[in-house]
Amino acid sequence: METETGTGTDRELDAERNHAKQHDSETGRNYDREEERITGSEALLRLLLAEGVDCVFGYPGGNALHIYDAMTGNPAFRHLLTRHEQGAVHAADGYARSTGKIGVCIATSGPGATNLVTGIATAYMDSVPMVIITANVPTTVMGTDAFQEADIVSMTMPITKHSYAVRDVRDLPRIVREAFHLAGSGRKGPVLIDIPKDVSNHRMLFQPADAEVRLRGYDPMPAVDPDAVGELLAAIAEAERPVIIAGGGVVYADASAELLAFVERTRMPVATTLLGLGGFPSGHELWLGMPGHHGAYTPNMAIQNADLLIAIGSRFDDRVTMKLDGFAPKAKRIAHIDIDPAEIGKNVRTDIACLGDIKDVLRAANEAAEKSDRFEPWIAELQRSKAEYPLRYRDSETELKPQYVIEMIHETTKGEAIMTTDVGQHQMWTAQFYAFRHPRSLITSGGMGTMGFGFPAAIGAQMGHPGRLVVSVNGDGGMQMCAQEMAVCAVHNLPVKIVVINNQVLGMVKQQQELMYERRYSQIDLAGSPDFVKLAEAYGIKGLRASNKADARQAWREALDTPGPVLVEFMVPTDENVYPMVLGGTTLDQMIMGE
């Protein structure tokens, strides 16, 4: 008669012992199998540590309790308890973007898992490597509408690279190894592992998965085609007005050094997208600025007048191209360097496709590219344009302008901080007026535009860089979507400097209603928002406020001089807008320049 052990049957364990013996005979290994009988939860923690995970962000619940119970017996496993599951997934995202490692978060079933969906979609849109672990109801009650049951695998299939539903605890080592391989290879992205409660408590004879992963049909690193690189270099040799658009793919491929070498060898000017900021040094003479919807005048006009356009790790999203019919109309040829073949020709015609890892493609190009000074007249024209049409705003001695605040933060940090932003006007002001010198120094939600992202992402970035200055820039709207995570900074004394640009309104929505809806303002007034200084103090964090230049500089200096977390609220005018701006349905050269 088969006897239940409470964690798997004797028959299952006998089968697993035979499997282990067969594996030993094939590999020459010899384990004391009785000592290796552990639960799926204990195996999960071991597997995460073996993948190099040094911090997991999460929130427990009933169906995840076996996993959380295993943590009490594993002092090497580090877990950060956030105050909301969305805080956990955004923190893991910020950790991944800032370090280049794979971010990991854990949540329980039902609402715990569904609270992760926005963060998973955010990571998917921006190609961020993450492994998301969700608990689920026991397999014995699946499909019965059990308490806190949700089919999170089906829900997240469109927003993950892959999703795993674990049904046999013996599959866990293979699944975890595959999940990390998928998340961190090729075009990176989130992978979900869903573990039912009973499976997390089944016992297994622990055996790590093979280091090498073989997935049929998955070829994440296509070989660089030397003919395509040669075609690209030939097009450069024929061009007179080339422009490079460098996107987030340059940062994620750790290819900033190769891009710099490519640019200095070919002497081609560079525009960097929002996610590409820092991928090419902002102080370089050939850097034009950020193009697109709120891009600067010179990069937008350069794109419109270029005869050769080279996109590197940029997917030609609509905030960069704006009206497609009229984008880069003078470009005789458009080249696209990307690791994902699905992006080639998806939005914009591609004449030259260089498929492969961006670092490898640029290395191949650098080996064959010839030095030239034939673009100097074009460069001189663009430099005159930058001098004539710089980013500007109407400063004030009576009001505190948000652009001034960002300039002040840049000046005092010398461009060396890790900056995270939420989404809105403050995000664009940060992109415009903070000069990013290094890759992975801007952490922001690009494709999804997720409010509530910025502050939890700063917590993740600070955990990944305990010795770095991390500044989180937020609006008064987005800050209220994640303010509870101030408890995490207070409890762990994480020295994040929290900036709230408070204009008492949903600023980006207001700006669009002003310019596109004839000033018909609807549901944008944030009256009744908390006193952010008092709110910070309620969490045990120092709070400061400023509404003029002198107070702003004093408060910010105090924040920088204070060990531990500090919140600084900067009161700015309600009617300040972000310019330049390209309205939807218009082309890049139809910019509204503002004042």
Side-chain angles (χ1 to χ4, degrees):
M1 180 177 179
E2 188 169 286
T3 305
E4 286 290 338
T5 65
T7 54
T9 65
D10 288 342
R11 183 177 297 173
E12 288 170 342
L13 288 173
D14 287 340
E16 183 62 18
R17 287 191 189 97
N18 292 333
H19 175 76
K21 289 177 181 178
Q22 180 181 357
H23 185 270
D24 281 353
S25 66
E26 294 171 353
T27 63
R29 294 175 179 171
N30 185 19
Y31 295 111
D32 181 344
R33 293 296 169 183
E34 288 301 313
E35 292 181 359
E36 292 295 308
R37 285 176 54 184
I38 60 175
T39 66
S41 296
E42 293 169 320
L44 175 65
L45 303 192
R46 287 194 191 185
L47 294 165
L48 293 177
L49 289 172
E51 293 292 342
V53 176
D54 53 26
C55 184
V56 170
F57 306 86
Y59 202 96
N63 286 314
L65 287 185
H66 291 314
I67 298 172
Y68 277 85
D69 184 55
M71 294 181 194
T72 63
N74 194 333
F77 192 84
R78 190 180 190 190
H79 178 281
L80 192 76
L81 173 66
T82 59
R83 296 306 185 263
H84 192 288
E85 290 90 355
Q86 191 162 323
V89 68
H90 290 329
D93 185 319
Y95 173 92
R97 294 189 201 226
S98 66
T99 64
K101 301 177 182 178
I102 296 174
V104 181
C105 65
I106 298 178
T108 192
S109 64
T114 57
N115 278 342
L116 300 177
V117 170
T118 298
I120 297 171
T122 300
Y124 183 75
M125 283 286 280
D126 289 351
S127 303
V128 180
M130 293 176 59
V131 170
I132 297 97
I133 298 165
T134 54
N136 213 326
V137 299
T139 56
T140 53
V141 296
M142 280 187 169
T144 68
D145 292 329
F147 178 65
Q148 292 192 333
E149 180 182 4
D151 186 358
I152 193 64
V153 170
S154 297
M155 291 181 191
T156 58
M157 276 186 178
I159 54 171
T160 56
K161 282 190 72 173
H162 193 67
S163 294
Y164 289 94
V166 185
R167 294 296 179 265
D168 188 331
V169 70
R170 293 172 295 183
D171 291 333
L172 198 55
R174 172 186 59 82
I175 286 173
V176 171
R177 180 79 277 273
E178 289 180 3
F180 275 81
H181 176 68
L182 285 166
S185 61
R187 181 174 183 173
K188 300 174 176 64
V191 177
L192 183 135
I193 304 174
D194 189 54
I195 308 175
K197 185 175 184 178
D198 54 336
V199 173
S200 71
N201 200 39
H202 283 167
R203 288 193 175 273
M204 62 183 294
L205 294 170
F206 181 73
Q207 186 174 322
D210 293 335
E212 185 178 353
V213 177
R214 302 178 188 86
L215 296 173
R216 189 172 65 179
Y218 181 62
D219 182 19
M221 301 292 282
V224 176
D225 181 358
D227 291 338
V229 174
E231 189 178 359
L232 173 64
L233 296 178
I236 294 171
E238 297 171 1
E240 294 180 355
R241 301 184 309 278
V243 172
I244 293 172
I245 300 177
V250 172
V251 176
Y252 299 151
D254 294 320
S256 297
E258 286 74 15
L259 174 61
L260 178 60
F262 182 60
V263 169
E264 292 189 337
R265 191 167 188 83
T266 60
R267 296 288 295 170
M268 289 188 293
V270 182
T272 46
T273 68
L274 176 65
L275 294 183
L277 289 172
F280 188 82
S282 59
H284 198 283
E285 62 169 334
L286 295 178
W287 184 69
L288 302 178
M290 181 181 73
H293 181 47
H294 285 295
Y297 178 88
T298 300
N300 280 352
M301 294 303 294
I303 290 170
Q304 294 300 87
N305 287 286
D307 63 357
L308 172 65
L309 196 61
I310 304 173
I312 306 178
S314 174
R315 58 190 177 86
F316 287 117
D317 80 287
D318 58 298
R319 286 299 177 101
V320 169
T321 64
M322 300 309 293
K323 185 181 179 181
L324 279 172
D325 182 14
F327 173 73
K330 298 180 182 179
K332 297 175 183 177
R333 307 195 79 182
I334 296 178
H336 197 168
I337 301 173
D338 207 287
I339 198 168
D340 186 356
E343 291 296 342
I344 305 296
K346 184 178 77 173
N347 296 328
V348 173
R349 82 166 201 274
T350 300
D351 303 302
I352 304 168
C354 294
L355 190 63
D357 182 81
I358 291 171
K359 184 189 288 282
D360 293 340
V361 174
L362 290 178
R363 281 177 175 171
N366 287 334
E367 289 177 1
E370 296 181 0
K371 287 190 175 182
S372 172
D373 59 359
R374 58 195 308 271
F375 303 134
E376 295 308 313
W378 172 235
I379 294 168
E381 179 183 338
L382 295 176
Q383 289 175 339
R384 286 194 297 270
S385 174
K386 282 187 71 175
E388 187 175 354
Y389 297 101
L391 289 167
R392 62 183 75 186
Y393 62 95
R394 189 184 294 277
D395 202 0
S396 172
E397 295 304 319
T398 58
E399 295 179 310
L400 180 61
K401 292 299 184 80
Q403 301 94 326
Y404 175 84
V405 172
I406 302 302
E407 287 180 327
M408 178 190 67
I409 294 173
H410 175 266
E411 175 190 334
T412 52
T413 63
K414 297 179 173 57
E416 295 293 335
I418 295 176
M419 302 287 290
T420 76
T421 81
D422 211 80
V423 171
Q425 288 180 314
H426 68 276
Q427 178 189 33
M428 293 297 102
W429 286 318
T430 302
Q432 290 177 338
F433 291 95
Y434 193 96
F436 293 92
R437 300 173 55 191
H438 308 293
R440 302 192 184 278
S441 57
L442 173 63
I443 311 299
T444 193
S445 172
M448 190 57 61
T450 303
M451 290 181 68
F453 169 85
F455 178 43
I459 291 173
Q462 191 73 80
M463 292 297 292
H465 300 272
R468 290 278 302 276
L469 173 63
V470 177
V471 179
S472 176
V473 183
N474 308 270
D476 48 322
M479 189 65 203
Q480 294 183 72
M481 296 187 177
C482 58
Q484 71 279 349
E485 304 305 332
M486 280 194 279
V488 178
C489 285
V491 168
H492 298 280
N493 197 34
L494 298 179
V496 177
K497 308 308 176 187
I498 309 162
V499 171
V500 179
I501 305 291
N502 190 349
N503 60 3
Q504 303 173 67
V505 72
L506 288 172
M508 193 60 86
V509 179
K510 175 186 176 296
Q511 179 168 340
Q512 294 188 44
Q513 290 177 347
E514 175 183 331
L515 298 176
M516 301 167 67
Y517 294 86
E518 299 177 340
R519 298 179 184 269
R520 292 191 298 274
Y521 300 124
S522 176
Q523 306 303 316
I524 56 171
D525 187 357
L526 291 179
S529 295
D531 181 322
F532 288 102
V533 171
K534 290 182 178 179
L535 184 62
E537 291 171 347
Y539 279 106
I541 293 174
K542 177 184 280 191
L544 304 167
R545 181 182 291 113
S547 57
N548 59 57
K549 287 182 175 181
D551 289 349
R553 298 191 78 85
Q554 181 178 344
W556 183 242
R557 176 46 58 191
E558 184 176 347
L560 292 178
D561 291 341
T562 301
V566 181
L567 181 145
V568 187
E569 181 182 23
F570 295 102
M571 307 302 298
V572 302
T574 299
D575 58 357
E576 193 71 20
N577 284 336
V578 181
Y579 293 112
M581 181 179 183
V582 182
L583 298 179
T586 64
T587 55
L588 290 178
D589 50 359
Q590 296 176 297
M591 287 167 278
I592 299 174
M593 300 301 292
E595 299 180 358

